[in-house]
Amino acid sequence: CTLDSEVALRVGGDFFFDPQPGDSPVNLVLIAGGVGINPLFSILLHIADLHGYQDSKGNRHKLGTVKLYYSAKNTSELLFKKNILGLMKEFPGKITCCFHVTQQHSQICKELQPHTTGK
């Protein structure tokens, strides 16, 4: 986002992301903490499927970028972290993630280090 950008914010409840062919592309920022990643991970997988389908079949979906911010106490509590890293590798620049840990007492593994901030 840039200064004066319009954003929509949704906290809790029932929500989904279901872009239709012909819709204008949107950039998503997904923010999750702990097990709250579950519905957002489903959205992330859906977007990855659409990106994969778009790349291979040339579908009519116009997709923006997705930035996931995901926080947990430590890296062992970051659910789906290997899947998320895999999606970032598969769709560079289209899907990105920043992990944040609040109570990490051990060294963060090399694979997560470039994407992780916190204690």
Side-chain angles (χ1 to χ4, degrees), residues 2-117:
T2 59
L3 186 61
D4 296 325
S5 292
E6 183 177 323
V7 297
L9 181 64
R10 172 95 187 204
V11 179
D14 296 331
F15 60 96
F16 59 92
F17 180 68
D18 188 23
Q20 299 301 305
D23 286 355
S24 296
V26 296
N27 296 322
L28 294 180
V29 176
L30 304 174
I31 302 170
V35 297
I37 187 67
N38 282 294
L40 300 183
F41 184 64
S42 294
I43 289 172
L44 195 63
L45 290 176
H46 179 57
I47 292 166
D49 285 344
L50 290 174
H51 273 302
Y53 184 72
Q54 182 179 40
D55 292 347
S56 67
K57 307 280 188 204
N59 76 6
R60 297 178 300 150
H61 283 91
K62 296 179 184 101
L63 301 170
T65 60
V66 179
K67 180 86 169 194
L68 171 65
Y69 292 93
Y70 180 21
S71 179
K73 288 181 183 177
N74 54 57
T75 56
S76 65
E77 291 190 11
L78 292 168
L79 305 176
F80 312 118
K81 62 184 167 271
K82 291 193 183 293
N83 303 83
I84 294 167
L85 290 172
L87 292 174
M88 289 193 303
K89 287 178 186 173
E90 187 174 354
F91 303 104
K94 296 177 183 178
I95 296 175
T96 57
C97 179
C98 293
F99 298 109
H100 182 77
V101 291
T102 60
Q103 298 176 23
Q104 183 79 19
H105 298 296
S106 61
Q107 178 88 11
I108 296 172
C109 73
K110 288 187 183 208
E111 189 176 31
L112 287 175
Q113 281 179 4
H115 311 288
T116 306
T117 61

